[in-house]
Amino acid sequence: MMPHYQASAGVRLEPVGDMWVGYSPLSGETQLLNDESAAVLEWLMESGGGSTAQAASALAEDAGMEVAELAPRIQLAWAPLAAAGLIQRVPKPEIAP
């Protein structure tokens, strides 16, 4: 089963020069993020949550990459984003019949 993630409540994402900063109320810390991590976090904030496959599918065209090429990069972003308190792993949403 593929893990699902959502942005932590109250997370903020702002551009700063060539980088991004993400603030987490859970940790009380601000983290510098690269473009890829910021794009994943922004997608989670807008979509309400999802999996690696969903994020890769949604972001591939904007990134100018194939879904299969982007998915492993997104997979690597989850752990640091979670450790910073910016995202949380959540149960897979139930699909209504």
Side-chain angles (χ1 to χ4, degrees), residues 1-38:
M1 180 185 292
M2 190 172 292
H4 277 66
Y5 298 89
Q6 68 182 24
S8 298
V11 163
R12 298 209 34 186
L13 180 66
E14 298 290 335
V16 176
D18 292 340
M19 300 290 286
W20 294 84
V21 293
Y23 170 75
S24 169
L26 291 178
S27 68
E29 295 181 3
T30 300
Q31 302 290 321
L32 280 176
L33 303 174
N34 62 22
D35 288 340
E36 289 173 344
S37 292

Side-chain angles (χ1 to χ4, degrees), residues 52-80:
T52 298
Q54 291 168 323
S57 179
L59 297 172
E61 186 175 337
D62 286 342
M65 300 172 73
E66 296 294 323
V67 171
E69 181 184 3
L70 186 56
R73 296 172 110 173
I74 291 172
Q75 185 65 39
L76 291 173
W78 297 133

